[in-house]
Amino acid sequence: MVRIGIIGCGSITRNRHAPEYSANPQAVIAGYYDRNRDRAEQLADSYGGKIYDSVEELLRSGDIDAVSVCTSNATHAAITIQALESGKHVLCEKPMAVTLEECAGMAEASERTGKYLMIAHNQRLTYSHAKAKEILQSGEMGRILSFSTVLAHPGPEHYSAAQGKHTWYLKQAHASLGAMGDLGIHKADLIRWLTGEEFTEVSSFSATRDKTDENGELAEVNDNAVCLLRSESGIIGTLAVSYSNYGDWDSRTVIYCANGVLICGGNPDSSVELVRRNNERILYKPEASPGGQARINSRVIDTFVDCIVNRKPPEISGREGMAAMKMVMGCLESARTGSAVRI
């Protein structure tokens, strides 16, 4: 049984980490820490476990084997490194940190201590993207030529624990990277994984177009970005993110291949759609659970627990997280300087 401590009890813990650990038969939530003790108490009431008065107290506990770091972006690195050096395995929410130096420090701490570090990049764990990866690896679609990937929704003030315009997601000191860090990191990791290639050059525009803070001033971080990416073999494509999509959430990824097109998220009747050169269409629907319902578990927690139980290093390691962060940071630098950036 893996005994879990959760650091940070906001919306991602409430909606994902806590219920998914609770549902995993090989894990038990042993403790929580949050600066807002009420949030920790609410989770303890629902799932059991002890409330700690500080990060340090939780990490000193011999009753905890691993932790989820679910705090604001700017605190990820320090807490993760401290946890690894305390002998705990770590699942860190994305983006893993706010500088590449911090990312490197986290990866090095994992390697130095021998403790696992997994980054919560959930996109590559969904059925649709796993199926897309399987199809691309089979070779049936031919070589990848280009792509388009987008993640756009109404903004974090609608889902953060402190709902409203004062949310930390829109504060430079806490979030730092804006929509590119919150949403772009998902798609950067996904497109690296789907193509199986590193990206070597980026060009980007980013802006704060609509989000305002509690004082009516434009938010301190970007709320929209459009990026052009080039891979090591010459695949080119676009990555776009937005906090100002006030319609349905948009999370499409389209891969243009020599033998046709692969679409994830574009058809409400399927998870993956193939369109061949002869216009033949093939639809793949998600697998169902034994009860007949499509599985909505993120698979992040189950994957992390399985790595610990079976003593296998996580695929979505600190080095993997850092590679995606290089893409995000390159895009932000390009937007700042107005020039293409080699990464």
Side-chain angles (χ1 to χ4, degrees), residues 27-284:
V28 61
I29 304 176
Y32 312 84
Y33 169 73
D34 193 283
R35 291 186 305 169
N36 183 331
R37 189 179 177 87
D38 288 345
R39 292 177 187 167
E41 289 176 346
Q42 289 169 14
L43 290 173
D45 287 345
S46 297
Y47 301 105
K50 179 180 176 181
I51 299 170
Y52 290 87
D53 292 324
S54 68
V55 171
E56 291 74 18
E57 182 187 8
L58 184 148
L59 293 178
R60 285 196 300 267
S61 173
D63 297 327
I64 290 174
D65 305 307
V67 299
S68 274
V69 177
C70 301
T71 55
S72 60
N73 302 343
T75 64
H76 285 177
I79 294 173
T80 293
I81 292 170
Q82 186 179 0
L84 291 166
E85 292 178 344
S86 298
K88 316 299 185 188
H89 301 294
V90 177
L91 172 60
C92 181
E93 266 301 328
K94 54 78 206 168
M96 64 183 290
V98 297
T99 70
L100 293 179
E101 292 76 15
E102 288 183 340
C103 294
M106 294 163 72
E108 289 164 4
S110 174
E111 293 158 3
R112 183 176 65 254
T113 61
K115 294 299 178 180
Y116 296 153
L117 169 59
M118 176 174 160
I119 310 303
H121 289 164
N122 59 29
Q123 294 260 314
R124 64 164 87 180
L125 298 176
T126 67
Y127 168 80
S128 61
H129 297 141
K131 186 65 179 179
K133 176 76 168 179
E134 176 188 321
I135 293 166
L136 292 169
Q137 285 186 318
S138 76
E140 66 176 284
M141 299 304 291
R143 67 191 183 101
I144 298 172
L145 306 175
S146 63
F147 63 87
S148 173
T149 187
V150 61
L151 183 51
H153 62 51
E157 69 271 33
H158 301 286
Y159 58 73
S160 66
Q163 292 189 5
K165 294 185 176 183
H166 59 289
T167 176
W168 67 261
Y169 283 90
L170 300 178
K171 305 295 185 184
Q172 177 67 29
H174 301 291
S176 183
L177 308 177
M180 271 305 297
D182 188 25
L183 308 183
I185 191 66
H186 274 308
K187 295 301 185 176
D189 177 71
L190 176 65
I191 208 65
R192 278 188 67 250
W193 183 68
L194 287 177
T195 61
E197 294 197 17
E198 297 298 339
F199 283 78
T200 58
E201 188 174 8
V202 299
S203 185
S204 176
F205 293 100
S206 69
T208 308
R209 295 285 298 150
D210 190 61
K211 293 302 174 189
T212 56
D213 63 19
E214 61 270 33
N215 299 314
E217 302 291 333
L218 280 177
E220 298 171 350
V221 296
N222 64 80
D223 61 13
N224 280 269
V226 178
C227 312
L228 180 64
L229 313 176
R230 186 199 306 271
S231 80
E232 56 193 352
S233 76
I235 299 170
I236 58 173
T238 58
L239 182 159
V241 296
S242 178
Y243 275 164
S244 57
N245 168 19
Y246 300 117
D248 294 332
W249 281 46
D250 190 353
S251 185
R252 290 170 295 158
T253 295
V254 182
I255 310 290
Y256 301 96
C257 303
N259 296 336
V261 181
L262 184 153
I263 306 165
C264 297
N267 187 327
D269 296 322
S270 70
S271 289
V272 180
E273 181 178 6
L274 300 186
V275 183
R276 301 192 184 278
R277 279 192 173 219
N278 62 2
N279 286 326
E280 176 190 8
R281 292 178 180 268
I282 301 173
L283 304 181
Y284 295 91

Side-chain angles (χ1 to χ4, degrees), residues 202-206 329-342:
V202 299
S203 185
S204 176
F205 293 100
S206 69
M329 299 304 284
C331 287
L332 290 171
E333 182 182 350
S334 173
R336 180 180 60 82
T337 62
S339 302
V341 172
R342 299 283 300 180

Side-chain angles (χ1 to χ4, degrees), residues 303-314:
T303 300
F304 180 56
V305 171
D306 182 66
C307 287
I308 297 170
V309 169
N310 292 298
R311 299 182 181 181
K312 57 182 182 182

